[in-house]
Amino acid sequence: MSLRLYGGKTAPRLLQDLNLYDPRKQTSLVFNILTNIPFHDEERKDVPLPPPPPYSGRGSCRHQWSTKSNQSSLPEGGGSPDLSSLWTVAAYCAECRSHLELSIDFREGAVFHSPCPTDDRPLHHFVHQPRQSEPWQLGTSSSKSETGYSWTDTQYFSCSSSICPARLVIRFKPPRLTVDWVDQLTDLYVIKARAERAMANDPERFEGHAVPLPATVVDYLRSYITDSLYEPKGKNIQGHNKKWLLALGDPCTDLLEYLGFVREGEDWAPPKPEPNAKVPFTNSLNIRLDDVLKELKVLFSKRPVDERRASKFQYIPEPATNELKSILGCADYKKSLRSRTVDLTKEEHPYYAGLGAVEDFHDDLIDFAYQRQIEFDPNHSPYYLECLQGIAEGRGSEQLRVGVAIEASADKISFRDVRAAFKELGLDSQAFYEDDTIIGTFNARVADGPKQEPEMRRALKIIGQIRSSEKIQYVASQAVTNHEQALLFLGAEEATSDEFIVSMHTLKVTDRPSDESTARHAVSLIADHRKSKALKKFLDTGALGEVEMDVGQAYVRLGISDRTIDDETILATYNLLVIDTPSQLDDLKSALTAIAKSKNSQRLKDFLNTGMVSSEHPPSEWPVGLENIGNTCYLNSLLQFYFTIKPLRDLVLDFDKFKMPNDEEKLKSKRVGSRNVSKKEVDRAQQFIDELSKLFQNMITSGKASVTPEPELARLTLVSSSKEEHIRRQSMLNSTRPSLGEINGVPVLGPMGPPPPQAAQDIDMPDSLADKASETKADDDSGGDNSSDVTLVDDAVAEDDDVMVLDDEEKCVQEKMLEDKENLPPSKAPSGRETDINLQPLKESSPSRINEQQHPSSPVKDAQRESIDLTVETPGSARIVDDDISNVGPDTKSISAAAAPPKRPPPFPPRPKPTGSNAVQEAEYGAQQDVTEVIANVLFQLQCAIKAESVDESGEQVDQVKALFFGKQKSYTTNREGTVRTKEEYMSDIKVDVATGSRDIYAALDGAYDVQDVEVGGGLEPQYTSISQLPPVLQVLVQRVQFDPEKKSVFKSNNHLELKETIYMDRYMDSLDADLMQRRQECWQWKKQVLGLEKRRAQLVASDMGMNVSDTLESTHHYFDLIARLDDEIPIGASPVLLQEIESTVIDARQELESLELQIKDLNTSISSQFSDLRKIPYRLQSVFIHRGYHNSGHYWIYIYDFTTQMWRKYNDGYVTEIRDTKEIFEKEPGDRPATPYFLVYVKDEWKEKLVEPVCRDVVDPPEGPEDVVMQDYNEGSAIQTLENSYSPADEPVCEAPSVFKRESWYIGQGWDDEKPAAADWNNKIAPGNAW
C-alpha cells in the first residue's frame, strides 16, 4: 500500500531535508524529499516506500550551505518578526557550488498577526503550495539574461497556523560556472595546452615562464573579480600581459564575457558592477560576480594542498546553519536527551519524517508535530497515528504512549489497527473488497465462532471507519436509528417498493426471531420517511394497505426512460396514454401523481387538481400553442416560427393583395427555384396559404391556450407537390402497399403504435412495455374505416392463425418508440371530437430523416437516400408477419391466458387499395422529410402563390419572400493556372457542422466560408465563399445527422454548439477590403496549423491502455522498478540504460505535449480575436429549434425571443412557457442524449422590432349557445374539424401592421418607407451592405 500524504513539515525537518535536496536528481519517478511526506509501509519492510533517508536521487550532495552575506537580509539582533518583516538568507554549497535563496515573508497572510514560535506553537509547520511553485524539470531551461542562471527551482510553503502570516519561498539554483568553464580553470591539460599555445606565439617573450597550476588560475581570476567588486581601478588588462595570456587569454572569451569583461581592441576592460552597492545586492551583475567569487573559492579549496601553498589566499567558509535556523524560528527548540533504541534503524526512522519531525525532538514537539499533521491532513490521520505509535514504542516514551491511548479512546484508529482488524476477519489488508464481501465474511465468522463476536465487531467497526462506509459501520454497531440504517438492516434500497419492504421484514423475522422488534422499528422509520400509509397500516394491522406507486415504476408505467425531460413532455405522454387506454386512467393518474411528487412540480400538481395546466398570463397577452396531431412537433415549431415573423404573417393574412393571378399567359414567365412552375403547383401553393391563413387567424382569435392545425395544412407543408405525385403514382402502380422497411428481414407494413390497453383483470405483465399484447385492425371491405375489434392471442395458438409475434429486437424497437414523443399518436384529444377517432400520424420532418419511425434495415441506404416512399396505416396497425408460431415466448402466453380473445377468427391483415385518395394521404403523412426539404417546400410554395415584384437577370421571380429569407453568396475557385472563377447564387440558409466536436457559432459558421479543396476535373482546387447579400432573416441549419463509415451506420452528433445572442457577419461579407481578406487568409493558415498540432497531440494522447503515452511509459518504468525489488530466487531486472531511456522519453513526451497544448491555445486565441473589432453588421438570435432523441426518432420544440418584452419563450406543442433561466437554451445539457439546437434564426439587429412580433392576439369570445356539432367518421384520410378549429367569425380582425411596415413600401435595398424601384433599376439595388 502506498499513500500520497498532504501534511506539512516543522522548520527543523524542512532544513534537514533541504540539506539533501537537489532538483537535478528529482524526477516525477523519484520521491521529492523537499516537498513530499514519506509513507512507510510497516508490512513491506523489505520495500520501504520511499527508502530511508536521504530519499533523494542517486548522487545527491549533502549540502554544506555557506552564507552569501552580500545577498542576505537578516533580522537585526535576532528580533521577532512584525508586519514589515521580510528576511532572506542567500547561501551556496561548499561542496557542489549550488545556490540557495530562502526568503520568509511576514507582510501578508493571516488576518490576526501572531507569527510562530509561541508557547502553544513552538515551531513553524510549513505546508507546500504546489500551485504557486515552479519546480524545475529535467531537460528544461529557463535562463534569464538578467540573472544568468540556466534554471531556477522555486518552491512555496506557508505556515499551517491560521494566525501565522509566514510565507516561505525556497529558490534552488545551479552553479554559475558550467562544466566547460570549470575545465578551463582547473583541468591541468586544458591549462597546459592554452599556455603552450601562447608561448608558441612569442617564444622569446615567454622564455623561462612555466605553465600555471589550476589553483593559480582560479586565484588569478578571483583577484580580478574581487578588485572589480570592492576596489575598482578602472584600468584595462593589457592584451599582451603575460600572466593574463598564460592563465586565461582569448580561449576563455565566453567565460570572460559572461562575467562582464569587455574586449577593447587587444585589451580587456574588467567588469563594471554598481560601485559601493548596498547590501543586499540588487544589481544583477553584482550578484553574478558575488556568486562566481564564491564558486571560485570552492574550486580553490578543492585543489591539492601543494597547489594552494603558492597563493596567499585562504578560504574559510561561513556556515549558514545559524542564519537559516534564525529566520525560520528554530534556533533553540526543545530537544530530547534520549538515545535511539534498538527498535529504530541506524538511519532516522521514516516515522519521524512522516510527522514532519526530526529525531532529536522532545516528546512535546513530537506531539505538537502529530497534532499539526492531523489538523491539516485529517484524511491521513491513521498513518500519522501509526507514526506516533511507532515513535512512542521506539523511544519507550510514557508521555507519547499516553497520547496514543487518548487518541484511541476518541475512536481514532491507525493503519496498524486497520491491519489487525483485517487479520481478525481473515482478510488481506492489501486487497480490495466490496462492502458486501466484508460484511458477508464477518457474518460467516460470527456464525462459526459466536464467542468472538465482540472482537470481530470491533474489527469490523475499524474497517468501516477507515473505508468511510456507513453500511459497514452500521452492521458493526447493530443500531437502527435512521432511514438509511433501516434500509441497510432489511437489505433494501431507496427504490425498493413497499410490498418488498414487507417481504424482507418477514424474511428477517423468520430467519432471526430475536430481531423482530428491530425489524418493526426499521419498517416504521421507512414508513415515516416515505409517508407511506400502506406501511403504517401494515404495522397497525399486519396487512399492507393501498400502495403508492414508486417513482421508478411511475416512469416505467408512462414509458419514459429519461427522467430529465420537461413537464410538458410528461403531460403530453400522459394524455397520449389516456386517449389510447382510457380503462387505465386510475393507474396512469397514480403514475403521474408519483412523478409530480418526486419532482415537486407545481405544473403537474395543477394538472392533476384541475385537469389543465395553469397559466400566469391572460390569453390576450400570450402566444397560443399548437397541438400535436401525430408526429408533428417539428411542424408545430416551424409554424410558430413563421407566425412570429411579422412581414410573413401580414402577407399570409392579407393574401389577396399579393395573390398570383392564375392565368396561363402570366404563368409562362413565372420562375421560382430556377425553373418554371405549373398552374397545378400555383393552385396547390395558394391552397397552402389559405390553410396557413386559417391557422394564423385561429391563433390570433382563439381564447384557448392551444389550437390544432388542420391535417390538410400538415400535408401541404410536409409533402412537396413533386413528392405528392410520386407517392400517388406509386400507390396506383404497385399491387402491394409500399414497405416501411424491414426488421430482421421481415417487412414492416405500418407505423408501430403504442402498447394496447391493459385488461381490466389482473394480468401477469412482463417487464418490458413492448411485451404487451398488440391491437389489430382490419380493413373494412365496404370502404369504411380501417379499424376492427381488438383480438388477443390465446394460449393455444392454431397453426393457421394470423398473429403478430414480437421478438426481442422488435420489443426494443417498440420500447424506443414509446419513449420518444415524436413517434406517438396525438398528445391530446381535441375538444368537441370523439376520442376514438384516430388521426393519421404525421411523420415529422427533420434533418436527414431525424425522426424516422422505423429502424432502417440498412444504415448505409438510410444515410444515402433522399426520401422514403411509403404508405402508412393508422396507429396500432403495424404488422410483422411470422409464420413460426413457436417463437411465441412465455410472457406472451401469460398475457394471452389472462385475457382470452372473443371466440371468432382474427382479422385479416390490411389490404392495399389500388386507387383512392386515402392511401395517398396516408403515404404523404408517413413520408419522412428532411428539415431543408420542408423549409424549401414552404418557401417554394409561398413564392409560387404570390405575384412577382420584379425578376432578376436570370428571369427568377423576386418577391416579398425572396427579400425576407434569401440572400446571395459568391464562391471563388482558383485553378492550377491561378485563374479565379466566381459564381453567385441565392441561399436561404447557412449549413454548419458540429460532427467533429463542440464549438461556438463563429467556429461553425467559419466551416461554411473557410477555404477548402474541391475536386475539379480530377484535381483539387482551393475554393472559398463570401456573402454578397444578407437577408433580414438569416437561417442557420445545424447538420447533426452523420454517417460513420467504420460502423456503417447513421448517428446523430450531440456535440454542443455554443450560441451567441448577437453575431457580427462582417467577417463573412464579400468585400474589396484588402485588410479583411488578409485577416481571413491568416485565419485559414492558423487553422491549418491547429489541425496539424491536434493530429500530433492525438498521437501522444492515444493509447490502447487508456492512458497517454507519457503515463504509459511512466507506468512501465514503475513496473520494471517494482519487479526489480521482488525477493525472488531468480531476480528479474531491467537494464539501467533502458530505464534511463524510458525516463528520458517520458520527459520528452510531456514537454512536447505541454508545448502542443500551449501552441494550440495561442493559435485558437488568435483565431477567436481576429475579427473581434468588426461589429458593423449585427444579427440577433430570434429562434432556436431544439431536438432531443436519436437520428431516427425524438422530439422537437422551439425557443423564440420576444424583443419587445425581452423574454425567451418555449413553444412545446400545445404549451408555451416563459424561460426564466436561459442556461436551458445556451448551456450544454448533461446526459448522453441532450437536447441540441438543430435550426437557428438570426434577424438583422436594426430591424428586429419590425421583423419579429411573437404575440399577436385579438381574442374573440365564442357566441353564446353554440349549435350542436354533428360528429362524422374519419373518412378518406381527412379529420373532422373541432368547434375550436372551425369557429371563424365573419368580421375576424387581422393583426394590422403599422403603416410604416406596409408591404407597399418594403423592397429590397430600400428603407421601410422608400418608394418601389423600377424594374430596370433592380440589379443596381443589390449592393453588399445596402441590401438584405
Short mmCIF file of all heavy atoms in Angstrom, two decimals, residues 955-995:
data_model
loop_
_atom_site.label_atom_id
_atom_site.label_comp_id
_atom_site.label_asym_id
_atom_site.label_seq_id
_atom_site.Cartn_x
_atom_site.Cartn_y
_atom_site.Cartn_z
N GLY A 955 -34.18 35.75 -64.89
CA GLY A 955 -35.61 35.55 -65.02
C GLY A 955 -36.26 35.04 -63.76
O GLY A 955 -37.47 34.79 -63.74
N GLU A 956 -35.48 34.87 -62.67
CA GLU A 956 -36.01 34.37 -61.39
C GLU A 956 -36.92 35.43 -60.78
O GLU A 956 -36.63 36.63 -60.79
CB GLU A 956 -34.86 34.06 -60.43
CG GLU A 956 -35.27 33.59 -59.06
CD GLU A 956 -35.66 32.14 -59.02
OE1 GLU A 956 -35.48 31.44 -60.05
OE2 GLU A 956 -36.14 31.68 -57.97
N GLN A 957 -38.06 34.95 -60.23
CA GLN A 957 -39.02 35.86 -59.60
C GLN A 957 -38.41 36.47 -58.35
O GLN A 957 -37.82 35.80 -57.52
CB GLN A 957 -40.29 35.09 -59.24
CG GLN A 957 -41.28 35.88 -58.38
CD GLN A 957 -42.56 35.14 -58.14
OE1 GLN A 957 -43.16 34.63 -59.08
NE2 GLN A 957 -42.99 35.05 -56.90
N VAL A 958 -38.55 37.77 -58.20
CA VAL A 958 -38.15 38.48 -56.99
C VAL A 958 -39.42 39.00 -56.33
O VAL A 958 -40.24 39.67 -56.96
CB VAL A 958 -37.20 39.65 -57.31
CG1 VAL A 958 -36.84 40.41 -56.05
CG2 VAL A 958 -35.95 39.15 -58.01
N ASP A 959 -39.59 38.65 -55.04
CA ASP A 959 -40.83 38.98 -54.35
C ASP A 959 -40.55 39.21 -52.87
O ASP A 959 -39.39 39.26 -52.43
CB ASP A 959 -41.85 37.85 -54.55
CG ASP A 959 -41.26 36.49 -54.22
OD1 ASP A 959 -40.54 36.39 -53.19
OD2 ASP A 959 -41.48 35.52 -54.97
N GLN A 960 -41.64 39.36 -52.11
CA GLN A 960 -41.51 39.64 -50.69
C GLN A 960 -40.80 38.51 -49.93
O GLN A 960 -40.00 38.75 -49.02
CB GLN A 960 -42.89 39.88 -50.07
CG GLN A 960 -43.60 41.11 -50.61
CD GLN A 960 -44.43 40.78 -51.85
OE1 GLN A 960 -44.20 39.77 -52.53
NE2 GLN A 960 -45.39 41.65 -52.17
N VAL A 961 -41.10 37.27 -50.29
CA VAL A 961 -40.49 36.13 -49.60
C VAL A 961 -38.99 36.07 -49.91
O VAL A 961 -38.16 35.83 -49.03
CB VAL A 961 -41.18 34.82 -50.02
CG1 VAL A 961 -40.47 33.61 -49.41
CG2 VAL A 961 -42.65 34.84 -49.60
N LYS A 962 -38.64 36.30 -51.18
CA LYS A 962 -37.24 36.30 -51.57
C LYS A 962 -36.49 37.39 -50.81
O LYS A 962 -35.36 37.19 -50.36
CB LYS A 962 -37.13 36.53 -53.08
CG LYS A 962 -35.71 36.47 -53.63
CD LYS A 962 -35.25 35.05 -53.87
CE LYS A 962 -35.92 34.46 -55.07
NZ LYS A 962 -35.40 33.09 -55.37
N ALA A 963 -37.13 38.55 -50.67
CA ALA A 963 -36.49 39.67 -49.97
C ALA A 963 -36.30 39.39 -48.50
O ALA A 963 -35.37 39.89 -47.87
CB ALA A 963 -37.32 40.93 -50.16
N LEU A 964 -37.17 38.57 -47.93
CA LEU A 964 -37.17 38.34 -46.49
C LEU A 964 -36.20 37.24 -46.07
O LEU A 964 -35.47 37.38 -45.08
CB LEU A 964 -38.59 37.98 -46.03
CG LEU A 964 -38.90 38.03 -44.53
CD1 LEU A 964 -38.64 39.41 -43.97
CD2 LEU A 964 -40.34 37.61 -44.29
N PHE A 965 -36.17 36.14 -46.83
CA PHE A 965 -35.44 34.95 -46.40
C PHE A 965 -34.21 34.62 -47.25
O PHE A 965 -33.41 33.78 -46.84
CB PHE A 965 -36.37 33.74 -46.41
CG PHE A 965 -37.48 33.80 -45.41
CD1 PHE A 965 -38.77 34.15 -45.80
CD2 PHE A 965 -37.24 33.53 -44.07
CE1 PHE A 965 -39.80 34.21 -44.87
CE2 PHE A 965 -38.26 33.59 -43.15
CZ PHE A 965 -39.55 33.93 -43.54
N PHE A 966 -34.06 35.21 -48.42
CA PHE A 966 -32.99 34.80 -49.31
C PHE A 966 -31.90 35.86 -49.37
O PHE A 966 -32.17 37.05 -49.49
CB PHE A 966 -33.53 34.55 -50.73
CG PHE A 966 -34.29 33.28 -50.87
CD1 PHE A 966 -35.62 33.20 -50.46
CD2 PHE A 966 -33.70 32.15 -51.41
CE1 PHE A 966 -36.35 32.04 -50.57
CE2 PHE A 966 -34.42 30.97 -51.54
CZ PHE A 966 -35.74 30.90 -51.12
N GLY A 967 -30.66 35.39 -49.30
CA GLY A 967 -29.52 36.24 -49.54
C GLY A 967 -28.75 35.70 -50.73
O GLY A 967 -29.22 34.83 -51.46
N LYS A 968 -27.55 36.21 -50.92
CA LYS A 968 -26.71 35.72 -52.00
C LYS A 968 -25.29 35.50 -51.47
O LYS A 968 -24.82 36.24 -50.60
CB LYS A 968 -26.67 36.73 -53.16
CG LYS A 968 -27.92 36.75 -54.02
CD LYS A 968 -27.73 37.63 -55.24
CE LYS A 968 -28.95 37.59 -56.15
NZ LYS A 968 -28.75 38.39 -57.38
N GLN A 969 -24.65 34.47 -52.01
CA GLN A 969 -23.26 34.23 -51.66
C GLN A 969 -22.47 33.93 -52.93
O GLN A 969 -23.01 33.42 -53.91
CB GLN A 969 -23.12 33.09 -50.65
CG GLN A 969 -23.68 31.77 -51.08
CD GLN A 969 -23.65 30.75 -49.95
OE1 GLN A 969 -23.51 31.10 -48.78
NE2 GLN A 969 -23.77 29.48 -50.30
N LYS A 970 -21.20 34.28 -52.89
CA LYS A 970 -20.35 34.15 -54.06
C LYS A 970 -19.18 33.24 -53.72
O LYS A 970 -18.53 33.41 -52.68
CB LYS A 970 -19.86 35.53 -54.51
CG LYS A 970 -19.02 35.52 -55.79
CD LYS A 970 -18.52 36.92 -56.14
CE LYS A 970 -19.66 37.84 -56.52
NZ LYS A 970 -19.15 39.16 -56.99
N SER A 971 -18.93 32.27 -54.59
CA SER A 971 -17.81 31.35 -54.40
C SER A 971 -16.66 31.73 -55.33
O SER A 971 -16.88 32.18 -56.47
CB SER A 971 -18.24 29.90 -54.67
OG SER A 971 -18.67 29.75 -56.01
N TYR A 972 -15.43 31.56 -54.85
CA TYR A 972 -14.21 31.87 -55.60
C TYR A 972 -13.37 30.60 -55.69
O TYR A 972 -12.96 30.04 -54.67
CB TYR A 972 -13.41 32.97 -54.90
CG TYR A 972 -14.09 34.32 -54.88
CD1 TYR A 972 -15.06 34.61 -53.92
CD2 TYR A 972 -13.78 35.30 -55.81
CE1 TYR A 972 -15.70 35.84 -53.89
CE2 TYR A 972 -14.40 36.53 -55.79
CZ TYR A 972 -15.36 36.80 -54.83
OH TYR A 972 -15.99 38.03 -54.79
N THR A 973 -13.12 30.15 -56.91
CA THR A 973 -12.33 28.93 -57.13
C THR A 973 -11.11 29.29 -57.97
O THR A 973 -11.23 29.94 -59.01
CB THR A 973 -13.16 27.85 -57.85
OG1 THR A 973 -14.39 27.66 -57.16
CG2 THR A 973 -12.40 26.54 -57.93
N THR A 974 -9.93 28.85 -57.53
CA THR A 974 -8.68 29.15 -58.23
C THR A 974 -8.14 27.87 -58.85
O THR A 974 -7.94 26.87 -58.16
CB THR A 974 -7.64 29.73 -57.26
OG1 THR A 974 -8.20 30.86 -56.59
CG2 THR A 974 -6.39 30.15 -58.01
N ASN A 975 -7.91 27.90 -60.17
CA ASN A 975 -7.40 26.70 -60.84
C ASN A 975 -5.88 26.66 -60.78
O ASN A 975 -5.24 27.54 -60.19
CB ASN A 975 -7.90 26.61 -62.28
CG ASN A 975 -7.41 27.80 -63.12
OD1 ASN A 975 -6.47 28.49 -62.76
ND2 ASN A 975 -8.06 28.02 -64.25
N ARG A 976 -5.30 25.65 -61.41
CA ARG A 976 -3.85 25.45 -61.32
C ARG A 976 -3.08 26.59 -61.96
O ARG A 976 -1.94 26.88 -61.60
CB ARG A 976 -3.47 24.13 -62.01
CG ARG A 976 -4.06 22.90 -61.34
CD ARG A 976 -3.59 21.63 -62.05
NE ARG A 976 -4.20 20.44 -61.49
CZ ARG A 976 -5.35 19.94 -61.89
NH1 ARG A 976 -6.02 20.55 -62.86
NH2 ARG A 976 -5.85 18.85 -61.34
N GLU A 977 -3.69 27.24 -62.95
CA GLU A 977 -3.02 28.35 -63.63
C GLU A 977 -3.17 29.66 -62.87
O GLU A 977 -2.66 30.70 -63.30
CB GLU A 977 -3.58 28.53 -65.05
CG GLU A 977 -3.19 27.42 -66.01
CD GLU A 977 -3.96 26.14 -65.75
OE1 GLU A 977 -5.11 26.24 -65.23
OE2 GLU A 977 -3.43 25.04 -66.00
N GLY A 978 -3.90 29.65 -61.78
CA GLY A 978 -4.10 30.86 -60.99
C GLY A 978 -5.30 31.67 -61.39
O GLY A 978 -5.54 32.77 -60.84
N THR A 979 -6.08 31.16 -62.35
CA THR A 979 -7.28 31.89 -62.77
C THR A 979 -8.39 31.69 -61.75
O THR A 979 -8.64 30.57 -61.30
CB THR A 979 -7.75 31.37 -64.14
OG1 THR A 979 -6.68 31.52 -65.08
CG2 THR A 979 -8.97 32.15 -64.62
N VAL A 980 -9.05 32.76 -61.38
CA VAL A 980 -10.12 32.72 -60.37
C VAL A 980 -11.47 32.75 -61.06
O VAL A 980 -11.75 33.63 -61.86
CB VAL A 980 -10.00 33.91 -59.39
CG1 VAL A 980 -11.12 33.86 -58.36
CG2 VAL A 980 -8.64 33.90 -58.70
N ARG A 981 -12.29 31.75 -60.76
CA ARG A 981 -13.65 31.70 -61.26
C ARG A 981 -14.60 32.05 -60.13
O ARG A 981 -14.40 31.63 -58.98
CB ARG A 981 -14.00 30.29 -61.78
CG ARG A 981 -13.05 29.79 -62.86
CD ARG A 981 -13.56 28.47 -63.47
NE ARG A 981 -13.85 27.49 -62.45
CZ ARG A 981 -12.91 26.67 -61.92
NH1 ARG A 981 -11.65 26.79 -62.32
NH2 ARG A 981 -13.25 25.78 -61.02
N THR A 982 -15.65 32.82 -60.45
CA THR A 982 -16.62 33.21 -59.43
C THR A 982 -18.01 32.74 -59.84
O THR A 982 -18.32 32.63 -61.03
CB THR A 982 -16.63 34.73 -59.22
OG1 THR A 982 -17.04 35.37 -60.43
CG2 THR A 982 -15.26 35.23 -58.81
N LYS A 983 -18.82 32.50 -58.83
CA LYS A 983 -20.20 32.10 -59.08
C LYS A 983 -21.05 32.63 -57.94
O LYS A 983 -20.78 32.39 -56.77
CB LYS A 983 -20.32 30.57 -59.16
CG LYS A 983 -21.74 30.08 -59.41
CD LYS A 983 -21.80 28.55 -59.44
CE LYS A 983 -23.22 28.07 -59.68
NZ LYS A 983 -23.29 26.58 -59.69
N GLU A 984 -22.11 33.35 -58.29
CA GLU A 984 -23.01 33.91 -57.29
C GLU A 984 -24.36 33.22 -57.40
O GLU A 984 -24.89 33.01 -58.49
CB GLU A 984 -23.17 35.41 -57.49
CG GLU A 984 -23.94 36.09 -56.36
CD GLU A 984 -23.99 37.60 -56.53
OE1 GLU A 984 -24.19 38.04 -57.69
OE2 GLU A 984 -23.83 38.32 -55.55
N GLU A 985 -24.92 32.86 -56.24
CA GLU A 985 -26.21 32.18 -56.23
C GLU A 985 -26.96 32.53 -54.95
O GLU A 985 -26.39 33.00 -53.96
CB GLU A 985 -26.01 30.67 -56.34
CG GLU A 985 -25.10 30.08 -55.27
CD GLU A 985 -24.76 28.62 -55.54
OE1 GLU A 985 -25.31 28.08 -56.51
OE2 GLU A 985 -23.95 28.05 -54.79
N TYR A 986 -28.30 32.28 -55.01
CA TYR A 986 -29.14 32.54 -53.84
C TYR A 986 -28.86 31.51 -52.75
O TYR A 986 -28.47 30.37 -53.01
CB TYR A 986 -30.62 32.48 -54.22
CG TYR A 986 -31.12 33.67 -55.00
CD1 TYR A 986 -31.39 33.56 -56.36
CD2 TYR A 986 -31.32 34.89 -54.38
CE1 TYR A 986 -31.85 34.64 -57.09
CE2 TYR A 986 -31.78 35.99 -55.09
CZ TYR A 986 -32.04 35.86 -56.44
OH TYR A 986 -32.50 36.94 -57.15
N MET A 987 -29.08 31.92 -51.51
CA MET A 987 -29.01 30.99 -50.38
C MET A 987 -30.11 31.36 -49.39
O MET A 987 -30.34 32.53 -49.11
CB MET A 987 -27.63 31.04 -49.71
CG MET A 987 -27.22 32.40 -49.20
SD MET A 987 -27.19 32.49 -47.42
CE MET A 987 -26.54 34.13 -47.10
N SER A 988 -30.83 30.33 -48.93
CA SER A 988 -31.89 30.56 -47.95
C SER A 988 -31.46 30.19 -46.54
O SER A 988 -32.16 30.47 -45.57
CB SER A 988 -33.14 29.74 -48.32
OG SER A 988 -32.85 28.36 -48.34
N ASP A 989 -30.32 29.50 -46.40
CA ASP A 989 -29.80 29.19 -45.07
C ASP A 989 -28.31 28.94 -45.18
O ASP A 989 -27.76 28.77 -46.27
CB ASP A 989 -30.51 27.97 -44.45
CG ASP A 989 -30.39 26.72 -45.31
OD1 ASP A 989 -29.27 26.39 -45.73
OD2 ASP A 989 -31.42 26.06 -45.57
N ILE A 990 -27.65 28.92 -44.04
CA ILE A 990 -26.23 28.58 -43.94
C ILE A 990 -26.14 27.25 -43.21
O ILE A 990 -26.66 27.10 -42.10
CB ILE A 990 -25.44 29.66 -43.18
CG1 ILE A 990 -25.58 31.02 -43.87
CG2 ILE A 990 -23.97 29.27 -43.06
CD1 ILE A 990 -24.94 32.15 -43.08
N LYS A 991 -25.49 26.29 -43.83
CA LYS A 991 -25.38 24.95 -43.23
C LYS A 991 -24.06 24.86 -42.49
O LYS A 991 -22.99 25.11 -43.04
CB LYS A 991 -25.47 23.88 -44.32
CG LYS A 991 -26.83 23.84 -45.01
CD LYS A 991 -26.87 22.84 -46.16
CE LYS A 991 -28.26 22.77 -46.77
NZ LYS A 991 -28.71 24.07 -47.31
N VAL A 992 -24.15 24.49 -41.20
CA VAL A 992 -22.96 24.37 -40.35
C VAL A 992 -22.88 22.95 -39.82
O VAL A 992 -23.88 22.22 -39.79
CB VAL A 992 -22.97 25.39 -39.20
CG1 VAL A 992 -23.00 26.80 -39.74
CG2 VAL A 992 -24.14 25.14 -38.26
N ASP A 993 -21.70 22.58 -39.35
CA ASP A 993 -21.43 21.20 -38.97
C ASP A 993 -20.81 21.16 -37.57
O ASP A 993 -19.95 21.98 -37.26
CB ASP A 993 -20.47 20.58 -39.99
CG ASP A 993 -20.19 19.12 -39.72
OD1 ASP A 993 -20.94 18.51 -38.95
OD2 ASP A 993 -19.21 18.59 -40.27
N VAL A 994 -21.25 20.22 -36.73
CA VAL A 994 -20.65 20.02 -35.41
C VAL A 994 -20.25 18.56 -35.23
O VAL A 994 -20.15 18.07 -34.10
CB VAL A 994 -21.62 20.44 -34.28
CG1 VAL A 994 -21.83 21.93 -34.28
CG2 VAL A 994 -22.95 19.72 -34.41
N ALA A 995 -20.02 17.86 -36.32
CA ALA A 995 -19.77 16.42 -36.24
C ALA A 995 -18.46 16.11 -35.54
O ALA A 995 -18.35 15.12 -34.81
CB ALA A 995 -19.77 15.80 -37.63
#
